[in-house]
Amino acid sequence: MSKKIEKTVSLESFEWNELDENIQDLVEQARLSALKAYAPYSKFHVGAALLLDNGKLLSANNQENASFPVGNCAERVVLGFAHANHPEAKPLKLAIAARKGDEKKPVSVTPCGFCRQTITEYEQRYGQPIEIFMLAADGSVLKAAGIDELLPFGFKDLNG
Ligand code: THU
């Protein structure tokens, strides 16, 4: 007999003033990092900020290349840096923010599929979910309690 394997996903939406100050700060660091993105081809500027369990807050942005597929997303730049330089620290919270060209207003963003799989890997390695905060165009923030809410059947042990 076959059996159905089901997962329910959900995101939580917060108005800015409903967020704890440390989360506001994390999202703000992502927003500021987007201003320094190297995105001359897409002009889509993404910033990511990562809080580690040693209290360190790292941030990075997307880094594009004239050969488009070579470019890297903000999330994978910051996660790779964290993993390379602070392998002993657990990543706890990740924020992302984006803007188009010179527009002041943010555009809504969620992590792409590659980044979702990368976040899955780090959750597996450190044995705990990474909370993900995504700034939306209207200034509200979407929260995923862990990567399962965005990639419920990622490449990992499905029983894990
Ligand atoms: N991008 C990110 O940095 N993160 C995402 O999750 C989505 C896409 C970047 C990649 C590329 O430089 C630009 O946004 C347009 O796709």
Side-chain angles (χ1 to χ4, degrees), residues 38-39 42-47 61-64 71-76 96 109-113 115:
Y38 179 65
S42 72
K43 306 214 182 326
F44 192 79
H45 301 87
V46 187
N61 40 50
N62 52 331
Q63 298 296 318
E64 296 188 345
N72 235 329
C73 292
E75 299 91 316
R76 277 176 294 136
I96 60 174
V109 67
T110 67
C112 78
C115 292

Side-chain angles (χ1 to χ4, degrees), residues 22-93:
N22 65 327
I23 303 299
Q24 287 181 347
D25 188 43
L26 192 70
V27 176
E28 181 61 6
Q29 292 309 313
R31 199 187 64 76
L32 291 174
S33 193
L35 300 174
K36 294 180 278 185
Y38 179 65
Y41 305 105
S42 72
K43 306 214 182 326
F44 192 79
H45 301 87
V46 187
L50 184 70
L51 178 68
L52 305 178
D53 76 345
N54 61 7
K56 280 210 167 10
L57 202 163
L58 308 173
S59 63
N61 40 50
N62 52 331
Q63 298 296 318
E64 296 188 345
N65 190 283
S67 174
F68 296 171
V70 177
N72 235 329
C73 292
E75 299 91 316
R76 277 176 294 136
V77 176
V78 79
L79 284 164
F81 183 87
H83 212 207
N85 293 289
H86 305 281
E88 75 299 336
K90 285 186 185 184
L92 300 179
K93 298 174 199 293

Side-chain angles (χ1 to χ4, degrees), residues 5-23:
I5 302 171
E6 286 181 309
K7 285 192 184 183
T8 308
V9 297
S10 69
L11 300 175
E12 202 173 350
S13 176
F14 292 89
E15 296 305 323
W16 186 257
N17 56 17
E18 292 176 323
L19 293 166
D20 288 350
E21 224 171 273
N22 65 327
I23 303 299

